[in-house]
Amino acid sequence: CEFGYEKAWQYYETKMEETRYWKRKLGYHITTGLTKNEFYLEYQPIVDAASGRPLLMEALIRWEHPTLGTISPGRFIPLAEELGSIVALGRWVLMESCRMAASWKEAGHQNLIVSVNVSVKQLLEGKAFVQTVKEILEETALPPSLLELEITETVLMSKEGDIKKTLEQLEKLGVRLAIDDFGTGYSSLTHLNTFPVHTLKIDKSFIHNLSHQENNKAIVSSLVTLAGQLDLCSIAEGVETAEEAAVLKEKQCQGLQGYYFSRPLPAFEVPAYLQRMNPG
Ligand code: C2E
Ligand code: CA
Ligand code: CA
Ligand code: CA
């Protein structure tokens, strides 16, 4: 019969080959792309809920391949993690964003923090990663307090390596630590409290439709309260409407980020944006 076992299996195998082929191809392009300057960063502001002024800028990686076109980080970051190229890529992101943050400081934005996404694979490098961060801060002359590292909540639950020790060494350097996608990882409170964390970034899945969804409102409210009780800063990501912003302000969330305030900006647009938001 047409859809016999053989046929189905052949089809399955072809599909698998295709994915493996693409993975290998993309993986190769990630490594060469780094030397060919195909990656760049955009920066998305996180504004103070009360004043509307930017507190932090989150660095978000972009890839424009000459023939494959634009490839989203959602597609190539997991692959880079799987292949190990995330370590070199992540190092480049750190260097580039710290250099940029130092230039904003030079331009008079004394307290503006740059926030950088860090993969668990980078943290698992342990001492070597801490050393990398230290060297980059020295080379760029960026005060450690102006660098925030974003790690996802699931990283805290990783059984591999000694993540906690690495985070403690990073805190000793004076950098800030944020928990990204907070609320999606089911980490316990007592657990959270044992890590040297400064900021909770409430996942955007809770922010969407905030004004119409009572359960999301309740969740956000308790996450903001939790942050306050643990003496942590709270940031909401994915804020898309004035209504969502209003609810978050009412709930006393401190930092707001999302398309409603600003899309991620190319580096060359940042100075004008900062000037506009911090007049005089
Ligand atoms: P993330 O860290 O949770 O970043 C938030 C994502 O939401 C970004 O997508 C951002 O562009 C998008 N976003 C911003 N405002 C809104 C909004 O109002 N509504 C909605 N629906 N989305 C919004 P992006 O840039 O595609 O990045 C996707 C993910 O890729 C990031 O999620 C992060 O996990 C990862 N990523 C990006 N850059 C880096 C990097 O340099 N290193 C590492 N390790 N991961 C990165
Ligand atoms: Ca992030
Ligand atoms: Ca996030
Ligand atoms: Ca995410």
Side-chain angles (χ1 to χ4, degrees), residues 41-42 44 58-62 72-74 76-78 81 86 89-90 93 116-120 122 150 152 180-181 201 203-204 208 237-240 244 257-260 262-264:
L41 298 179
E42 287 190 329
Q44 188 178 31
E58 179 180 2
L60 293 161
I61 195 167
R62 301 288 178 252
S72 75
F76 70 81
I77 291 287
E81 287 177 331
I86 190 69
L89 202 59
V93 170
V116 179
N117 294 285
V118 170
S119 153
V120 64
Q122 290 172 274
E150 295 192 11
T152 55
D180 203 356
D181 302 347
K201 289 192 81 174
D203 191 70
K204 54 180 175 310
H208 190 57
E237 61 173 23
V239 184
E240 294 181 353
E244 289 164 2
Q257 181 183 32
Y259 299 151
Y260 176 67
S262 172
R263 64 189 165 86

mmCIF file of all heavy atoms in Angstrom, residues 41-42 44 58-62 72-74 76-78 81 86 89-90 93 116-120 122 150 152 180-181 201 203-204 208 237-240 244 257-260 262-264, ligand 1:
data_model
loop_
_atom_site.group_PDB
_atom_site.id
_atom_site.type_symbol
_atom_site.label_atom_id
_atom_site.label_comp_id
_atom_site.label_asym_id
_atom_site.label_seq_id
_atom_site.Cartn_x
_atom_site.Cartn_y
_atom_site.Cartn_z
ATOM 1 N N LEU A 41 23.919 43.998 17.273
ATOM 2 C CA LEU A 41 23.019 44.063 18.419
ATOM 3 C C LEU A 41 22.005 45.180 18.255
ATOM 4 O O LEU A 41 22.305 46.221 17.677
ATOM 5 C CB LEU A 41 23.816 44.306 19.705
ATOM 6 C CG LEU A 41 24.831 43.231 20.102
ATOM 7 C CD1 LEU A 41 25.560 43.638 21.376
ATOM 8 C CD2 LEU A 41 24.162 41.875 20.277
ATOM 9 N N GLU A 42 20.803 44.925 18.755
ATOM 10 C CA GLU A 42 19.831 46.000 18.927
ATOM 11 C C GLU A 42 19.624 46.155 20.430
ATOM 12 O O GLU A 42 19.933 45.242 21.198
ATOM 13 C CB GLU A 42 18.525 45.671 18.210
ATOM 14 C CG GLU A 42 18.664 45.799 16.706
ATOM 15 C CD GLU A 42 17.348 45.717 15.941
ATOM 16 O OE1 GLU A 42 16.425 45.019 16.412
ATOM 17 O OE2 GLU A 42 17.271 46.337 14.888
ATOM 18 N N GLN A 44 16.882 47.322 23.434
ATOM 19 C CA GLN A 44 15.502 47.686 23.779
ATOM 20 C C GLN A 44 15.450 48.300 25.178
ATOM 21 O O GLN A 44 15.876 47.672 26.155
ATOM 22 C CB GLN A 44 14.580 46.468 23.708
ATOM 23 C CG GLN A 44 13.108 46.888 23.861
ATOM 24 C CD GLN A 44 12.140 45.738 23.747
ATOM 25 O OE1 GLN A 44 12.449 44.604 24.114
ATOM 26 N NE2 GLN A 44 10.949 46.028 23.251
ATOM 27 N N GLU A 58 18.362 46.595 27.017
ATOM 28 C CA GLU A 58 18.673 45.163 26.844
ATOM 29 C C GLU A 58 19.247 44.907 25.455
ATOM 30 O O GLU A 58 18.659 45.279 24.440
ATOM 31 C CB GLU A 58 17.416 44.305 27.031
ATOM 32 C CG GLU A 58 17.722 42.812 26.837
ATOM 33 C CD GLU A 58 16.500 41.891 27.010
ATOM 34 O OE1 GLU A 58 15.383 42.387 27.244
ATOM 35 O OE2 GLU A 58 16.686 40.663 26.896
ATOM 36 N N ALA A 59 20.416 44.273 25.414
ATOM 37 C CA ALA A 59 21.054 43.920 24.144
ATOM 38 C C ALA A 59 20.397 42.664 23.574
ATOM 39 O O ALA A 59 20.247 41.664 24.270
ATOM 40 C CB ALA A 59 22.543 43.678 24.365
ATOM 41 N N LEU A 60 19.977 42.744 22.311
ATOM 42 C CA LEU A 60 19.354 41.592 21.638
ATOM 43 C C LEU A 60 20.092 41.331 20.331
ATOM 44 O O LEU A 60 20.258 42.238 19.509
ATOM 45 C CB LEU A 60 17.871 41.869 21.388
ATOM 46 C CG LEU A 60 17.011 41.973 22.651
ATOM 47 C CD1 LEU A 60 15.701 42.700 22.374
ATOM 48 C CD2 LEU A 60 16.749 40.588 23.253
ATOM 49 N N ILE A 61 20.557 40.106 20.167
ATOM 50 C CA ILE A 61 21.403 39.799 19.007
ATOM 51 C C ILE A 61 20.567 39.654 17.725
ATOM 52 O O ILE A 61 19.415 39.212 17.773
ATOM 53 C CB ILE A 61 22.246 38.526 19.272
ATOM 54 C CG1 ILE A 61 23.378 38.399 18.260
ATOM 55 C CG2 ILE A 61 21.377 37.279 19.302
ATOM 56 C CD1 ILE A 61 24.428 37.365 18.625
ATOM 57 N N ARG A 62 21.170 40.059 16.610
ATOM 58 C CA ARG A 62 20.537 39.956 15.297
ATOM 59 C C ARG A 62 21.512 39.337 14.319
ATOM 60 O O ARG A 62 22.720 39.532 14.440
ATOM 61 C CB ARG A 62 20.144 41.362 14.789
ATOM 62 C CG ARG A 62 19.176 42.101 15.700
ATOM 63 C CD ARG A 62 17.791 41.478 15.631
ATOM 64 N NE ARG A 62 16.816 42.096 16.521
ATOM 65 C CZ ARG A 62 16.352 41.500 17.618
ATOM 66 N NH1 ARG A 62 16.808 40.330 18.004
ATOM 67 N NH2 ARG A 62 15.422 42.095 18.342
ATOM 68 N N SER A 72 16.272 34.579 13.022
ATOM 69 C CA SER A 72 15.911 35.091 14.355
ATOM 70 C C SER A 72 16.723 34.387 15.447
ATOM 71 O O SER A 72 17.087 33.223 15.302
ATOM 72 C CB SER A 72 14.424 34.906 14.606
ATOM 73 O OG SER A 72 14.164 33.542 14.875
ATOM 74 N N PRO A 73 16.982 35.117 16.557
ATOM 75 C CA PRO A 73 17.713 34.488 17.663
ATOM 76 C C PRO A 73 16.979 33.270 18.208
ATOM 77 O O PRO A 73 17.612 32.317 18.664
ATOM 78 C CB PRO A 73 17.823 35.593 18.714
ATOM 79 C CG PRO A 73 16.872 36.656 18.304
ATOM 80 C CD PRO A 73 16.653 36.521 16.836
ATOM 81 N N GLY A 74 15.644 33.282 18.138
ATOM 82 C CA GLY A 74 14.873 32.130 18.591
ATOM 83 C C GLY A 74 15.257 30.869 17.840
ATOM 84 O O GLY A 74 15.094 29.760 18.340
ATOM 85 N N PHE A 76 18.531 30.558 15.997
ATOM 86 C CA PHE A 76 19.948 30.187 16.007
ATOM 87 C C PHE A 76 20.571 30.106 17.394
ATOM 88 O O PHE A 76 21.571 29.409 17.569
ATOM 89 C CB PHE A 76 20.780 31.091 15.079
ATOM 90 C CG PHE A 76 20.964 32.516 15.518
ATOM 91 C CD1 PHE A 76 21.932 32.845 16.469
ATOM 92 C CD2 PHE A 76 20.198 33.531 14.972
ATOM 93 C CE1 PHE A 76 22.106 34.159 16.874
ATOM 94 C CE2 PHE A 76 20.370 34.853 15.366
ATOM 95 C CZ PHE A 76 21.330 35.154 16.316
ATOM 96 N N ILE A 77 19.992 30.750 18.402
ATOM 97 C CA ILE A 77 20.569 30.660 19.757
ATOM 98 C C ILE A 77 20.502 29.221 20.301
ATOM 99 O O ILE A 77 21.511 28.692 20.763
ATOM 100 C CB ILE A 77 19.934 31.681 20.735
ATOM 101 C CG1 ILE A 77 20.342 33.124 20.369
ATOM 102 C CG2 ILE A 77 20.293 31.380 22.185
ATOM 103 C CD1 ILE A 77 21.768 33.508 20.683
ATOM 104 N N PRO A 78 19.333 28.555 20.218
ATOM 105 C CA PRO A 78 19.303 27.165 20.704
ATOM 106 C C PRO A 78 20.305 26.274 19.979
ATOM 107 O O PRO A 78 20.931 25.404 20.587
ATOM 108 C CB PRO A 78 17.867 26.711 20.404
ATOM 109 C CG PRO A 78 17.080 27.968 20.345
ATOM 110 C CD PRO A 78 18.004 29.013 19.781
ATOM 111 N N GLU A 81 23.734 26.985 21.198
ATOM 112 C CA GLU A 81 23.891 26.362 22.517
ATOM 113 C C GLU A 81 24.216 24.888 22.372
ATOM 114 O O GLU A 81 25.119 24.361 23.020
ATOM 115 C CB GLU A 81 22.621 26.553 23.354
ATOM 116 C CG GLU A 81 22.451 27.983 23.836
ATOM 117 C CD GLU A 81 21.163 28.214 24.606
ATOM 118 O OE1 GLU A 81 20.167 27.517 24.351
ATOM 119 O OE2 GLU A 81 21.151 29.122 25.457
ATOM 120 N N ILE A 86 27.865 29.077 21.211
ATOM 121 C CA ILE A 86 27.292 30.152 22.033
ATOM 122 C C ILE A 86 28.361 30.815 22.910
ATOM 123 O O ILE A 86 28.244 31.995 23.243
ATOM 124 C CB ILE A 86 26.134 29.622 22.923
ATOM 125 C CG1 ILE A 86 25.369 30.779 23.590
ATOM 126 C CG2 ILE A 86 26.635 28.660 23.993
ATOM 127 C CD1 ILE A 86 24.563 31.627 22.668
ATOM 128 N N LEU A 89 30.035 33.331 20.682
ATOM 129 C CA LEU A 89 29.005 34.309 20.309
ATOM 130 C C LEU A 89 28.655 35.188 21.517
ATOM 131 O O LEU A 89 28.570 36.419 21.410
ATOM 132 C CB LEU A 89 27.767 33.537 19.827
ATOM 133 C CG LEU A 89 26.775 34.248 18.934
ATOM 134 C CD1 LEU A 89 27.442 34.727 17.661
ATOM 135 C CD2 LEU A 89 25.608 33.320 18.590
ATOM 136 N N GLY A 90 28.475 34.538 22.664
ATOM 137 C CA GLY A 90 28.123 35.247 23.890
ATOM 138 C C GLY A 90 29.216 36.195 24.348
ATOM 139 O O GLY A 90 28.944 37.275 24.874
ATOM 140 N N VAL A 93 28.925 39.229 22.211
ATOM 141 C CA VAL A 93 27.781 40.051 22.649
ATOM 142 C C VAL A 93 28.171 40.899 23.863
ATOM 143 O O VAL A 93 27.891 42.098 23.915
ATOM 144 C CB VAL A 93 26.551 39.162 22.986
ATOM 145 C CG1 VAL A 93 25.453 39.984 23.666
ATOM 146 C CG2 VAL A 93 26.007 38.481 21.738
ATOM 147 N N VAL A 116 22.352 42.090 29.476
ATOM 148 C CA VAL A 116 22.831 41.150 28.463
ATOM 149 C C VAL A 116 22.331 39.737 28.767
ATOM 150 O O VAL A 116 22.460 39.257 29.894
ATOM 151 C CB VAL A 116 24.387 41.168 28.414
ATOM 152 C CG1 VAL A 116 24.916 40.176 27.388
ATOM 153 C CG2 VAL A 116 24.900 42.573 28.107
ATOM 154 N N ASN A 117 21.746 39.091 27.766
ATOM 155 C CA ASN A 117 21.268 37.711 27.934
ATOM 156 C C ASN A 117 22.448 36.747 27.950
ATOM 157 O O ASN A 117 23.311 36.794 27.084
ATOM 158 C CB ASN A 117 20.318 37.335 26.791
ATOM 159 C CG ASN A 117 19.037 38.137 26.839
ATOM 160 O OD1 ASN A 117 18.171 37.884 27.669
ATOM 161 N ND2 ASN A 117 18.929 39.127 25.962
ATOM 162 N N VAL A 118 22.451 35.874 28.949
ATOM 163 C CA VAL A 118 23.544 34.920 29.082
ATOM 164 C C VAL A 118 22.970 33.505 29.094
ATOM 165 O O VAL A 118 21.996 33.221 29.797
ATOM 166 C CB VAL A 118 24.340 35.201 30.379
ATOM 167 C CG1 VAL A 118 25.316 34.080 30.672
ATOM 168 C CG2 VAL A 118 25.076 36.525 30.270
ATOM 169 N N SER A 119 23.551 32.645 28.291
ATOM 170 C CA SER A 119 23.091 31.258 28.190
ATOM 171 C C SER A 119 23.679 30.406 29.319
ATOM 172 O O SER A 119 24.779 30.660 29.803
ATOM 173 C CB SER A 119 23.500 30.706 26.826
ATOM 174 O OG SER A 119 23.651 29.310 26.891
ATOM 175 N N VAL A 120 22.936 29.378 29.704
ATOM 176 C CA VAL A 120 23.415 28.460 30.743
ATOM 177 C C VAL A 120 24.759 27.840 30.346
ATOM 178 O O VAL A 120 25.621 27.610 31.184
ATOM 179 C CB VAL A 120 22.355 27.370 31.063
ATOM 180 C CG1 VAL A 120 22.103 26.474 29.860
ATOM 181 C CG2 VAL A 120 22.785 26.518 32.251
ATOM 182 N N GLN A 122 27.173 29.257 28.864
ATOM 183 C CA GLN A 122 28.246 30.197 29.232
ATOM 184 C C GLN A 122 28.543 30.093 30.728
ATOM 185 O O GLN A 122 29.698 30.041 31.131
ATOM 186 C CB GLN A 122 27.852 31.632 28.877
ATOM 187 C CG GLN A 122 27.802 31.915 27.390
ATOM 188 C CD GLN A 122 27.224 33.299 27.121
ATOM 189 O OE1 GLN A 122 26.007 33.457 27.039
ATOM 190 N NE2 GLN A 122 28.078 34.301 27.007
ATOM 191 N N GLU A 150 21.274 38.719 32.307
ATOM 192 C CA GLU A 150 19.960 38.076 32.376
ATOM 193 C C GLU A 150 20.111 36.572 32.180
ATOM 194 O O GLU A 150 20.622 36.119 31.172
ATOM 195 C CB GLU A 150 19.024 38.620 31.281
ATOM 196 C CG GLU A 150 18.691 40.077 31.442
ATOM 197 C CD GLU A 150 17.549 40.534 30.523
ATOM 198 O OE1 GLU A 150 16.880 39.687 29.905
ATOM 199 O OE2 GLU A 150 17.348 41.759 30.435
ATOM 200 N N THR A 152 17.863 32.811 32.560
ATOM 201 C CA THR A 152 16.483 32.345 32.691
ATOM 202 C C THR A 152 16.311 31.589 34.004
ATOM 203 O O THR A 152 17.260 31.051 34.563
ATOM 204 C CB THR A 152 16.059 31.438 31.507
ATOM 205 O OG1 THR A 152 16.998 30.376 31.416
ATOM 206 C CG2 THR A 152 16.020 32.208 30.215
ATOM 207 N N ASP A 180 15.366 36.151 34.032
ATOM 208 C CA ASP A 180 14.544 36.392 32.841
ATOM 209 C C ASP A 180 13.392 35.389 32.799
ATOM 210 O O ASP A 180 13.480 34.321 33.398
ATOM 211 C CB ASP A 180 15.441 36.204 31.600
ATOM 212 C CG ASP A 180 14.916 36.944 30.391
ATOM 213 O OD1 ASP A 180 13.825 37.545 30.462
ATOM 214 O OD2 ASP A 180 15.618 36.920 29.356
ATOM 215 N N ASP A 181 12.336 35.749 32.085
ATOM 216 C CA ASP A 181 11.175 34.860 31.907
ATOM 217 C C ASP A 181 10.650 34.384 33.254
ATOM 218 O O ASP A 181 10.215 33.230 33.389
ATOM 219 C CB ASP A 181 11.548 33.634 31.045
ATOM 220 C CG ASP A 181 12.084 34.024 29.675
ATOM 221 O OD1 ASP A 181 11.946 35.204 29.299
ATOM 222 O OD2 ASP A 181 12.650 33.159 28.994
ATOM 223 N N LYS A 201 12.507 39.646 36.020
ATOM 224 C CA LYS A 201 11.817 40.079 34.798
ATOM 225 C C LYS A 201 10.624 39.162 34.565
ATOM 226 O O LYS A 201 10.783 37.987 34.223
ATOM 227 C CB LYS A 201 12.758 40.016 33.591
ATOM 228 C CG LYS A 201 13.825 41.090 33.617
ATOM 229 C CD LYS A 201 14.552 41.181 32.277
ATOM 230 C CE LYS A 201 13.773 41.993 31.254
ATOM 231 N NZ LYS A 201 14.560 42.197 30.011
ATOM 232 N N ASP A 203 7.777 37.302 32.939
ATOM 233 C CA ASP A 203 7.648 36.815 31.566
ATOM 234 C C ASP A 203 6.497 37.479 30.818
ATOM 235 O O ASP A 203 5.437 37.733 31.393
ATOM 236 C CB ASP A 203 7.450 35.301 31.566
ATOM 237 C CG ASP A 203 7.584 34.735 30.164
ATOM 238 O OD1 ASP A 203 8.715 34.732 29.647
ATOM 239 O OD2 ASP A 203 6.555 34.329 29.584
ATOM 240 N N LYS A 204 6.707 37.693 29.521
ATOM 241 C CA LYS A 204 5.707 38.424 28.752
ATOM 242 C C LYS A 204 4.394 37.667 28.579
ATOM 243 O O LYS A 204 3.370 38.270 28.296
ATOM 244 C CB LYS A 204 6.254 38.901 27.415
ATOM 245 C CG LYS A 204 6.873 37.892 26.495
ATOM 246 C CD LYS A 204 7.321 38.663 25.232
ATOM 247 C CE LYS A 204 8.081 37.840 24.225
ATOM 248 N NZ LYS A 204 9.198 37.043 24.708
ATOM 249 N N HIS A 208 0.515 39.918 28.491
ATOM 250 C CA HIS A 208 -0.421 40.001 27.382
ATOM 251 C C HIS A 208 -1.861 40.007 27.884
ATOM 252 O O HIS A 208 -2.250 39.195 28.695
ATOM 253 C CB HIS A 208 -0.165 38.810 26.443
ATOM 254 C CG HIS A 208 -0.898 38.929 25.156
ATOM 255 N ND1 HIS A 208 -0.738 40.013 24.318
ATOM 256 C CD2 HIS A 208 -1.791 38.118 24.561
ATOM 257 C CE1 HIS A 208 -1.505 39.843 23.260
ATOM 258 N NE2 HIS A 208 -2.154 38.707 23.385
ATOM 259 N N GLU A 237 8.161 42.552 30.936
ATOM 260 C CA GLU A 237 8.558 42.585 29.526
ATOM 261 C C GLU A 237 7.334 42.328 28.650
ATOM 262 O O GLU A 237 6.334 41.787 29.110
ATOM 263 C CB GLU A 237 9.662 41.561 29.248
ATOM 264 C CG GLU A 237 9.255 40.134 29.524
ATOM 265 C CD GLU A 237 10.290 39.090 29.087
ATOM 266 O OE1 GLU A 237 11.479 39.406 28.964
ATOM 267 O OE2 GLU A 237 9.869 37.948 28.870
ATOM 268 N N GLY A 238 7.411 42.763 27.411
ATOM 269 C CA GLY A 238 6.315 42.507 26.468
ATOM 270 C C GLY A 238 5.105 43.401 26.668
ATOM 271 O O GLY A 238 3.982 43.015 26.348
ATOM 272 N N VAL A 239 5.321 44.623 27.193
ATOM 273 C CA VAL A 239 4.217 45.573 27.380
ATOM 274 C C VAL A 239 3.868 46.183 26.020
ATOM 275 O O VAL A 239 4.691 46.836 25.396
ATOM 276 C CB VAL A 239 4.596 46.687 28.375
ATOM 277 C CG1 VAL A 239 3.402 47.609 28.615
ATOM 278 C CG2 VAL A 239 5.104 46.093 29.679
ATOM 279 N N GLU A 240 2.647 45.922 25.548
ATOM 280 C CA GLU A 240 2.273 46.336 24.184
ATOM 281 C C GLU A 240 1.215 47.429 24.131
ATOM 282 O O GLU A 240 1.039 48.059 23.090
ATOM 283 C CB GLU A 240 1.803 45.111 23.386
ATOM 284 C CG GLU A 240 2.925 44.106 23.134
ATOM 285 C CD GLU A 240 2.488 42.898 22.313
ATOM 286 O OE1 GLU A 240 1.279 42.755 22.043
ATOM 287 O OE2 GLU A 240 3.381 42.101 21.951
ATOM 288 N N GLU A 244 -2.101 47.860 29.442
ATOM 289 C CA GLU A 244 -1.179 46.975 30.165
ATOM 290 C C GLU A 244 -0.226 47.799 31.029
ATOM 291 O O GLU A 244 0.016 47.476 32.196
ATOM 292 C CB GLU A 244 -0.382 46.099 29.178
ATOM 293 C CG GLU A 244 -1.225 45.037 28.499
ATOM 294 C CD GLU A 244 -0.579 44.428 27.264
ATOM 295 O OE1 GLU A 244 0.565 44.795 26.911
ATOM 296 O OE2 GLU A 244 -1.241 43.591 26.631
ATOM 297 N N GLN A 257 9.019 47.290 29.820
ATOM 298 C CA GLN A 257 9.701 47.080 28.547
ATOM 299 C C GLN A 257 8.703 46.490 27.557
ATOM 300 O O GLN A 257 7.904 45.630 27.919
ATOM 301 C CB GLN A 257 10.866 46.098 28.747
ATOM 302 C CG GLN A 257 11.682 45.803 27.503
ATOM 303 C CD GLN A 257 12.771 44.754 27.767
ATOM 304 O OE1 GLN A 257 12.578 43.861 28.599
ATOM 305 N NE2 GLN A 257 13.888 44.860 27.085
ATOM 306 N N GLY A 258 8.754 46.942 26.333
ATOM 307 C CA GLY A 258 7.870 46.360 25.321
ATOM 308 C C GLY A 258 7.631 47.329 24.175
ATOM 309 O O GLY A 258 8.043 48.486 24.225
ATOM 310 N N TYR A 259 6.964 46.816 23.135
ATOM 311 C CA TYR A 259 6.741 47.619 21.930
ATOM 312 C C TYR A 259 5.994 48.915 22.230
ATOM 313 O O TYR A 259 6.151 49.900 21.510
ATOM 314 C CB TYR A 259 5.970 46.797 20.892
ATOM 315 C CG TYR A 259 6.683 45.538 20.437
ATOM 316 C CD1 TYR A 259 5.959 44.418 20.017
ATOM 317 C CD2 TYR A 259 8.078 45.469 20.418
ATOM 318 C CE1 TYR A 259 6.609 43.259 19.597
ATOM 319 C CE2 TYR A 259 8.731 44.315 20.005
ATOM 320 C CZ TYR A 259 7.993 43.213 19.597
ATOM 321 O OH TYR A 259 8.627 42.063 19.182
ATOM 322 N N TYR A 260 5.166 48.920 23.290
ATOM 323 C CA TYR A 260 4.429 50.146 23.624
ATOM 324 C C TYR A 260 5.393 51.298 23.917
ATOM 325 O O TYR A 260 5.135 52.437 23.564
ATOM 326 C CB TYR A 260 3.507 49.916 24.830
ATOM 327 C CG TYR A 260 2.806 51.175 25.280
ATOM 328 C CD1 TYR A 260 1.854 51.785 24.469
ATOM 329 C CD2 TYR A 260 3.117 51.764 26.506
ATOM 330 C CE1 TYR A 260 1.229 52.959 24.860
ATOM 331 C CE2 TYR A 260 2.491 52.934 26.914
ATOM 332 C CZ TYR A 260 1.547 53.526 26.085
ATOM 333 O OH TYR A 260 0.934 54.681 26.477
ATOM 334 N N SER A 262 9.087 51.101 23.305
ATOM 335 C CA SER A 262 10.025 51.149 22.186
ATOM 336 C C SER A 262 10.316 49.745 21.673
ATOM 337 O O SER A 262 10.440 48.812 22.449
ATOM 338 C CB SER A 262 11.340 51.813 22.623
ATOM 339 O OG SER A 262 12.311 51.684 21.600
ATOM 340 N N ARG A 263 10.444 49.637 20.381
ATOM 341 C CA ARG A 263 10.943 48.382 19.807
ATOM 342 C C ARG A 263 12.451 48.342 20.070
ATOM 343 O O ARG A 263 13.026 49.359 20.470
ATOM 344 C CB ARG A 263 10.645 48.349 18.305
ATOM 345 C CG ARG A 263 11.380 49.432 17.553
ATOM 346 C CD ARG A 263 10.943 49.579 16.098
ATOM 347 N NE ARG A 263 11.457 50.855 15.601
ATOM 348 C CZ ARG A 263 12.668 51.042 15.086
ATOM 349 N NH1 ARG A 263 13.502 50.039 14.972
ATOM 350 N NH2 ARG A 263 13.060 52.240 14.688
ATOM 351 N N PRO A 264 13.104 47.200 19.872
ATOM 352 C CA PRO A 264 14.569 47.183 19.966
ATOM 353 C C PRO A 264 15.163 48.125 18.913
ATOM 354 O O PRO A 264 14.722 48.131 17.759
ATOM 355 C CB PRO A 264 14.920 45.719 19.658
ATOM 356 C CG PRO A 264 13.684 44.941 19.994
ATOM 357 C CD PRO A 264 12.547 45.841 19.617
HETATM 358 P P1 C2E B 1 14.102 37.379 25.715
HETATM 359 O O1 C2E B 1 15.391 37.624 26.388
HETATM 360 O O2 C2E B 1 12.944 36.968 26.572
HETATM 361 O O3 C2E B 1 13.792 38.722 24.926
HETATM 362 C C1 C2E B 1 12.510 39.240 24.715
HETATM 363 C C2 C2E B 1 12.024 39.033 23.304
HETATM 364 O O4 C2E B 1 10.752 39.662 23.152
HETATM 365 C C3 C2E B 1 12.910 39.658 22.221
HETATM 366 O O5 C2E B 1 12.826 38.836 21.062
HETATM 367 C C4 C2E B 1 12.216 41.006 21.983
HETATM 368 O O6 C2E B 1 12.512 41.566 20.717
HETATM 369 C C5 C2E B 1 10.776 40.592 22.086
HETATM 370 N N1 C2E B 1 9.892 41.710 22.474
HETATM 371 C C6 C2E B 1 10.225 42.938 22.929
HETATM 372 N N2 C2E B 1 9.122 43.682 23.196
HETATM 373 C C7 C2E B 1 8.061 42.891 22.903
HETATM 374 C C8 C2E B 1 6.632 43.092 22.969
HETATM 375 O O7 C2E B 1 6.119 44.135 23.349
HETATM 376 N N3 C2E B 1 5.862 42.043 22.595
HETATM 377 C C9 C2E B 1 6.381 40.862 22.148
HETATM 378 N N4 C2E B 1 5.542 39.893 21.779
HETATM 379 N N5 C2E B 1 7.723 40.641 22.079
HETATM 380 C C10 C2E B 1 8.545 41.642 22.458
HETATM 381 P P2 C2E B 1 14.111 38.475 20.201
HETATM 382 O O8 C2E B 1 14.976 39.675 20.043
HETATM 383 O O9 C2E B 1 13.633 37.778 18.972
HETATM 384 O O10 C2E B 1 14.878 37.442 21.121
HETATM 385 C C11 C2E B 1 14.341 36.185 21.415
HETATM 386 C C12 C2E B 1 15.142 35.472 22.464
HETATM 387 O O11 C2E B 1 16.449 35.154 21.973
HETATM 388 C C13 C2E B 1 15.383 36.298 23.729
HETATM 389 O O12 C2E B 1 14.257 36.253 24.566
HETATM 390 C C14 C2E B 1 16.585 35.594 24.307
HETATM 391 O O13 C2E B 1 16.190 34.457 25.023
HETATM 392 C C15 C2E B 1 17.342 35.176 23.059
HETATM 393 N N6 C2E B 1 18.432 36.128 22.809
HETATM 394 C C16 C2E B 1 18.429 37.305 22.142
HETATM 395 N N7 C2E B 1 19.657 37.863 22.131
HETATM 396 C C17 C2E B 1 20.473 37.032 22.831
HETATM 397 C C18 C2E B 1 21.869 37.041 23.178
HETATM 398 O O14 C2E B 1 22.627 37.974 22.884
HETATM 399 N N8 C2E B 1 22.327 35.963 23.901
HETATM 400 C C19 C2E B 1 21.505 34.930 24.273
HETATM 401 N N9 C2E B 1 22.036 33.910 24.971
HETATM 402 N N10 C2E B 1 20.209 34.893 23.971
HETATM 403 C C20 C2E B 1 19.689 35.934 23.252
#
